[in-house]
Amino acid sequence: MSDQPDLQAVFPHEIEEIIFSFAVQTDWPSAKNLILVAKRVYQWLIPQIYEVVVFHRNRYPLDRPRSDSRNLVHHGKYVHHIMLYNGDPSETRLYNRPGVCLTWCPNAYDVALWLTPDQYDKTLVDQLLGRHLTHLSFSFNDFKSAAARYPGISPSISFLYVTHLELINTTPLDDLKELKEYFPALTHLAVKIGSGDQISRSPDILRTWNDQMQVLSWNIGQRMLGPTPVVLERSNYRIQADDPRIVILAYSRECVDAWYEDAAGGLGLWRVAEETITGYRGPNGTSGS
Protein backbone atom coordinates (compact mmCIF):
# COMPACT_ATOMS: atom_id res chain seq x y z
CA MET A 1 0.00 0.00 0.00
CA SER A 2 1.31 3.44 -0.91
CA ASP A 3 2.23 5.84 1.87
CA GLN A 4 1.53 8.81 -0.41
CA PRO A 5 -1.11 11.17 0.98
CA ASP A 6 -4.46 11.50 -0.76
CA LEU A 7 -3.93 14.27 -3.34
CA GLN A 8 -7.61 14.68 -4.20
CA ALA A 9 -8.44 18.38 -4.24
CA VAL A 10 -10.76 19.58 -1.51
CA PHE A 11 -12.25 23.03 -2.03
CA PRO A 12 -13.88 25.24 0.57
CA HIS A 13 -17.66 25.23 0.25
CA GLU A 14 -17.61 28.85 -0.91
CA ILE A 15 -15.46 27.88 -3.90
CA GLU A 16 -17.57 24.79 -4.55
CA GLU A 17 -20.69 26.92 -4.67
CA ILE A 18 -19.13 29.25 -7.25
CA ILE A 19 -18.07 26.27 -9.40
CA PHE A 20 -21.47 24.58 -9.33
CA SER A 21 -23.30 27.87 -9.88
CA PHE A 22 -21.17 28.61 -12.93
CA ALA A 23 -21.73 25.07 -14.21
CA VAL A 24 -25.51 25.28 -14.05
CA GLN A 25 -25.65 28.80 -15.51
CA THR A 26 -23.60 27.75 -18.53
CA ASP A 27 -25.20 24.33 -18.98
CA TRP A 28 -28.82 24.29 -17.81
CA PRO A 29 -29.46 20.67 -18.92
CA SER A 30 -26.90 19.56 -16.33
CA ALA A 31 -29.00 21.02 -13.49
CA LYS A 32 -31.08 17.88 -12.94
CA ASN A 33 -27.88 15.90 -12.40
CA LEU A 34 -25.92 18.49 -10.46
CA ILE A 35 -28.59 18.89 -7.76
CA LEU A 36 -28.13 15.17 -6.98
CA VAL A 37 -24.40 15.50 -6.21
CA ALA A 38 -24.90 16.42 -2.57
CA LYS A 39 -27.43 18.06 -0.29
CA ARG A 40 -25.40 21.25 -0.11
CA VAL A 41 -25.26 21.45 -3.93
CA TYR A 42 -29.03 20.99 -4.07
CA GLN A 43 -29.44 23.86 -1.59
CA TRP A 44 -27.15 26.10 -3.68
CA LEU A 45 -28.76 25.43 -7.05
CA ILE A 46 -32.49 25.25 -6.34
CA PRO A 47 -32.73 29.03 -5.70
CA GLN A 48 -31.02 29.66 -9.05
CA ILE A 49 -33.24 27.22 -10.91
CA TYR A 50 -36.39 28.84 -9.53
CA GLU A 51 -35.35 32.49 -9.68
CA VAL A 52 -37.07 32.81 -13.08
CA VAL A 53 -40.02 30.52 -13.85
CA VAL A 54 -42.06 30.48 -17.05
CA PHE A 55 -45.38 28.72 -17.48
CA HIS A 56 -45.96 29.15 -21.20
CA ARG A 57 -46.58 26.84 -24.13
CA ASN A 58 -43.37 28.09 -25.77
CA ARG A 59 -40.15 27.40 -23.89
CA TYR A 60 -37.37 29.93 -23.81
CA PRO A 61 -34.56 29.25 -23.48
CA LEU A 62 -35.09 25.69 -24.62
CA ASP A 63 -32.35 24.26 -22.43
CA ARG A 64 -33.58 25.73 -19.14
CA PRO A 65 -35.29 23.25 -16.79
CA ARG A 66 -39.09 23.45 -16.95
CA SER A 67 -41.07 23.95 -13.79
CA ASP A 68 -44.30 22.30 -12.73
CA SER A 69 -46.51 24.84 -10.94
CA ARG A 70 -47.14 22.30 -8.17
CA ASN A 71 -43.45 22.50 -7.26
CA LEU A 72 -43.96 26.12 -6.23
CA VAL A 73 -45.45 24.86 -2.97
CA HIS A 74 -41.90 23.93 -1.92
CA HIS A 75 -39.72 26.21 -4.04
CA GLY A 76 -41.86 29.29 -4.70
CA LYS A 77 -40.03 31.31 -2.06
CA TYR A 78 -37.04 31.46 -4.44
CA VAL A 79 -39.03 32.92 -7.34
CA HIS A 80 -38.34 36.55 -8.24
CA HIS A 81 -39.64 36.56 -11.84
CA ILE A 82 -42.72 34.60 -12.89
CA MET A 83 -44.75 34.36 -16.09
CA LEU A 84 -48.22 32.79 -15.98
CA TYR A 85 -49.97 31.83 -19.22
CA ASN A 86 -53.13 29.76 -19.01
CA GLY A 87 -53.00 27.43 -21.97
CA ASP A 88 -53.12 23.65 -22.07
CA PRO A 89 -51.49 22.47 -18.79
CA SER A 90 -49.73 19.69 -20.68
CA GLU A 91 -47.91 22.44 -22.61
CA THR A 92 -47.60 25.18 -19.98
CA ARG A 93 -47.26 23.01 -16.85
CA LEU A 94 -49.54 25.47 -15.10
CA TYR A 95 -51.77 23.16 -13.08
CA ASN A 96 -52.93 25.70 -10.49
CA ARG A 97 -54.85 28.96 -10.58
CA PRO A 98 -52.51 31.95 -11.09
CA GLY A 99 -53.57 33.59 -7.83
CA VAL A 100 -52.74 30.43 -5.89
CA CYS A 101 -49.33 30.23 -7.59
CA LEU A 102 -48.54 33.76 -6.44
CA THR A 103 -49.40 32.88 -2.84
CA TRP A 104 -46.55 30.39 -3.04
CA CYS A 105 -44.15 33.02 -4.42
CA PRO A 106 -44.05 35.71 -1.71
CA ASN A 107 -40.77 37.19 -2.98
CA ALA A 108 -41.76 37.62 -6.63
CA TYR A 109 -41.50 41.25 -7.72
CA ASP A 110 -41.63 40.76 -11.51
CA VAL A 111 -44.94 39.24 -12.67
CA ALA A 112 -46.31 38.61 -16.16
CA LEU A 113 -49.98 37.63 -16.36
CA TRP A 114 -50.81 36.58 -19.90
CA LEU A 115 -54.21 35.26 -18.99
CA THR A 116 -57.82 35.10 -20.08
CA PRO A 117 -60.25 37.31 -18.10
CA ASP A 118 -61.71 34.35 -16.17
CA GLN A 119 -58.36 33.80 -14.44
CA TYR A 120 -58.64 37.11 -12.56
CA ASP A 121 -60.29 35.84 -9.39
CA LYS A 122 -60.25 37.43 -5.94
CA THR A 123 -57.12 35.54 -4.91
CA LEU A 124 -55.20 36.94 -7.87
CA VAL A 125 -56.46 40.48 -7.32
CA ASP A 126 -55.54 40.32 -3.63
CA GLN A 127 -52.08 38.97 -4.46
CA LEU A 128 -51.41 41.74 -6.96
CA LEU A 129 -52.42 44.46 -4.55
CA GLY A 130 -50.81 42.91 -1.50
CA ARG A 131 -47.17 42.84 -2.56
CA HIS A 132 -44.36 45.19 -3.61
CA LEU A 133 -44.27 44.49 -7.34
CA THR A 134 -41.83 46.55 -9.40
CA HIS A 135 -42.39 44.95 -12.83
CA LEU A 136 -45.81 43.98 -14.17
CA SER A 137 -47.08 42.77 -17.53
CA PHE A 138 -50.86 42.28 -17.73
CA SER A 139 -54.22 43.42 -19.07
CA PHE A 140 -55.22 46.50 -17.09
CA ASN A 141 -58.81 46.25 -18.30
CA ASP A 142 -59.17 42.63 -17.18
CA PHE A 143 -57.75 43.56 -13.79
CA LYS A 144 -60.16 46.50 -13.40
CA SER A 145 -63.14 44.36 -14.38
CA ALA A 146 -62.18 41.78 -11.79
CA ALA A 147 -61.43 44.34 -9.08
CA ALA A 148 -64.86 45.91 -9.62
CA ARG A 149 -66.46 42.64 -8.50
CA TYR A 150 -64.83 42.85 -5.08
CA PRO A 151 -65.31 45.58 -2.46
CA GLY A 152 -62.50 47.60 -0.97
CA ILE A 153 -60.41 48.00 -4.11
CA SER A 154 -59.20 51.54 -4.71
CA PRO A 155 -56.25 53.18 -6.48
CA SER A 156 -54.90 54.34 -3.13
CA ILE A 157 -53.96 50.74 -2.31
CA SER A 158 -52.89 49.75 -5.79
CA PHE A 159 -49.54 49.42 -7.55
CA LEU A 160 -47.51 51.94 -5.60
CA TYR A 161 -44.13 50.37 -6.36
CA VAL A 162 -44.47 49.37 -10.02
CA THR A 163 -41.91 51.24 -12.11
CA HIS A 164 -42.02 49.01 -15.24
CA LEU A 165 -45.45 48.33 -16.73
CA GLU A 166 -46.29 46.45 -19.93
CA LEU A 167 -49.92 46.70 -21.07
CA ILE A 168 -50.97 43.77 -23.24
CA ASN A 169 -54.08 42.98 -25.28
CA THR A 170 -53.98 46.41 -26.97
CA THR A 171 -55.25 48.14 -23.85
CA PRO A 172 -57.15 51.38 -24.61
CA LEU A 173 -55.63 54.47 -23.05
CA ASP A 174 -58.85 56.39 -22.51
CA ASP A 175 -58.21 57.62 -18.99
CA LEU A 176 -54.56 58.40 -18.33
CA LYS A 177 -55.43 60.08 -15.04
CA GLU A 178 -56.90 56.83 -13.78
CA LEU A 179 -53.89 54.88 -15.00
CA LYS A 180 -51.58 57.21 -13.10
CA GLU A 181 -53.67 56.81 -9.96
CA TYR A 182 -53.07 53.08 -10.14
CA PHE A 183 -49.41 53.43 -11.17
CA PRO A 184 -48.02 56.61 -9.61
CA ALA A 185 -44.37 55.47 -9.66
CA LEU A 186 -44.07 54.55 -13.35
CA THR A 187 -40.77 55.26 -15.08
CA HIS A 188 -41.14 52.71 -17.93
CA LEU A 189 -44.34 52.06 -19.90
CA ALA A 190 -44.76 49.65 -22.81
CA VAL A 191 -47.98 49.40 -24.79
CA LYS A 192 -48.92 46.91 -27.48
CA ILE A 193 -49.92 48.68 -30.67
CA GLY A 194 -53.44 47.76 -31.74
CA SER A 195 -55.60 48.61 -34.70
CA GLY A 196 -56.35 52.09 -33.36
CA ASP A 197 -54.11 55.10 -33.50
CA GLN A 198 -53.03 54.89 -29.86
CA ILE A 199 -49.48 55.89 -30.65
CA SER A 200 -50.73 59.45 -31.21
CA ARG A 201 -51.31 59.60 -27.44
CA SER A 202 -47.57 59.65 -26.81
CA PRO A 203 -47.44 63.38 -25.89
CA ASP A 204 -50.38 62.96 -23.49
CA ILE A 205 -48.71 60.00 -21.79
CA LEU A 206 -45.42 61.83 -21.34
CA ARG A 207 -47.18 64.89 -19.95
CA THR A 208 -49.14 62.75 -17.48
CA TRP A 209 -45.96 61.45 -15.82
CA ASN A 210 -43.78 64.44 -16.80
CA ASP A 211 -40.05 63.99 -16.27
CA GLN A 212 -40.66 60.86 -14.20
CA MET A 213 -41.27 58.83 -17.38
CA GLN A 214 -37.98 57.57 -18.82
CA VAL A 215 -39.16 55.06 -21.44
CA LEU A 216 -42.33 54.92 -23.55
CA SER A 217 -42.20 51.86 -25.76
CA TRP A 218 -44.76 50.97 -28.44
CA ASN A 219 -44.59 47.26 -29.24
CA ILE A 220 -45.49 45.24 -32.29
CA GLY A 221 -45.59 41.44 -32.27
CA GLN A 222 -44.18 39.87 -35.42
CA ARG A 223 -43.44 36.32 -36.42
CA MET A 224 -39.99 35.00 -37.30
CA LEU A 225 -38.11 37.32 -34.98
CA GLY A 226 -35.47 36.22 -32.52
CA PRO A 227 -35.33 36.91 -28.78
CA THR A 228 -33.86 40.40 -29.14
CA PRO A 229 -36.41 43.13 -29.96
CA VAL A 230 -35.79 45.10 -33.14
CA VAL A 231 -35.92 48.90 -33.05
CA LEU A 232 -38.16 50.37 -35.78
CA GLU A 233 -37.86 53.75 -37.45
CA ARG A 234 -40.04 56.33 -35.73
CA SER A 235 -40.56 58.17 -39.00
CA ASN A 236 -42.86 55.38 -40.21
CA TYR A 237 -45.37 56.10 -37.44
CA ARG A 238 -47.49 59.09 -36.56
CA ILE A 239 -45.82 60.40 -33.43
CA GLN A 240 -46.74 63.96 -32.61
CA ALA A 241 -43.69 64.48 -30.41
CA ASP A 242 -39.98 64.61 -31.08
CA ASP A 243 -39.10 63.10 -27.74
CA PRO A 244 -36.14 60.71 -27.36
CA ARG A 245 -37.98 58.73 -24.70
CA ILE A 246 -40.30 57.21 -27.32
CA VAL A 247 -39.24 53.88 -28.83
CA ILE A 248 -41.00 51.54 -31.26
CA LEU A 249 -40.04 47.87 -30.96
CA ALA A 250 -40.92 44.69 -32.82
CA TYR A 251 -40.33 41.32 -31.25
CA SER A 252 -41.36 37.69 -31.46
CA ARG A 253 -45.12 37.33 -31.61
CA GLU A 254 -45.22 35.14 -28.50
CA CYS A 255 -43.01 37.64 -26.63
CA VAL A 256 -41.97 35.02 -24.08
CA ASP A 257 -38.34 35.19 -25.20
CA ALA A 258 -38.12 38.98 -24.82
CA TRP A 259 -39.72 38.76 -21.37
CA TYR A 260 -37.28 36.07 -20.28
CA GLU A 261 -34.28 38.04 -21.53
CA ASP A 262 -35.34 40.99 -19.36
CA ALA A 263 -35.80 38.75 -16.33
CA ALA A 264 -32.40 37.16 -16.89
CA GLY A 265 -30.64 40.49 -17.42
CA GLY A 266 -30.26 40.13 -21.18
CA LEU A 267 -31.37 42.16 -24.19
CA GLY A 268 -35.08 42.14 -23.58
CA LEU A 269 -37.71 44.81 -24.04
CA TRP A 270 -36.59 47.22 -21.34
CA ARG A 271 -32.86 47.02 -21.90
CA VAL A 272 -33.13 47.45 -25.68
CA ALA A 273 -35.43 50.44 -25.18
CA GLU A 274 -33.10 52.00 -22.62
CA GLU A 275 -30.00 51.52 -24.75
CA THR A 276 -31.78 52.95 -27.76
CA ILE A 277 -32.74 56.05 -25.81
CA THR A 278 -29.26 56.54 -24.42
CA GLY A 279 -27.77 56.19 -27.90
CA TYR A 280 -26.08 52.83 -27.59
CA ARG A 281 -28.26 51.22 -30.24
CA GLY A 282 -29.43 52.75 -33.52
CA PRO A 283 -32.58 51.92 -35.53
CA ASN A 284 -30.92 48.91 -37.14
CA GLY A 285 -29.41 47.56 -33.96
CA THR A 286 -26.03 49.19 -34.59
CA SER A 287 -24.21 51.51 -32.24
CA GLY A 288 -25.55 55.02 -32.16
CA SER A 289 -23.69 58.24 -31.70
Side-chain angles (χ1 to χ4, degrees), residues 143 185 222:
F143 165 80
Q222 295 183 357

Side-chain angles (χ1 to χ4, degrees), residues 147-246:
R149 298 196 298 266
Y150 310 113
I153 303 298
S154 105
S156 63
I157 58 170
S158 294
F159 305 98
L160 302 179
Y161 305 95
V162 171
T163 57
H164 293 60
L165 173 65
E166 180 183 22
L167 297 176
I168 64 173
N169 297 339
T170 61
T171 301
L173 297 172
D174 300 326
D175 191 341
L176 292 176
K177 181 180 178 181
E178 178 189 43
L179 189 64
K180 186 177 182 181
E181 287 178 337
Y182 274 94
F183 297 95
L186 274 193
T187 59
H188 294 59
L189 175 63
V191 184
K192 184 177 180 181
I193 296 178
S195 57
D197 189 21
Q198 298 183 73
I199 200 167
S200 64
R201 306 275 333 254
S202 296
D204 298 330
I205 294 171
L206 294 174
R207 279 194 297 268
T208 299
W209 279 269
N210 295 315
D211 293 340
Q212 177 179 305
M213 186 68 70
Q214 300 173 19
V215 173
L216 174 56
S217 177
W218 296 95
N219 303 334
I220 302 174
Q222 295 183 357
R223 297 187 184 277
M224 306 305 292
L225 288 179
T228 303
V230 176
V231 183
L232 303 180
E233 289 281 5
R234 288 168 40 133
S235 58
N236 296 331
Y237 298 85
R238 287 185 289 178
I239 301 178
Q240 305 300 319
D242 184 19
D243 193 304
R245 294 174 292 174
I246 303 172

Side-chain angles (χ1 to χ4, degrees), residues 10 23 45 61 94 123 148 209 220-221 228 265-266 272 276 280 287:
V10 178
L45 298 187
L94 182 61
T123 301
W209 279 269
I220 302 174
T228 303
V272 169
T276 300
Y280 294 131
S287 297

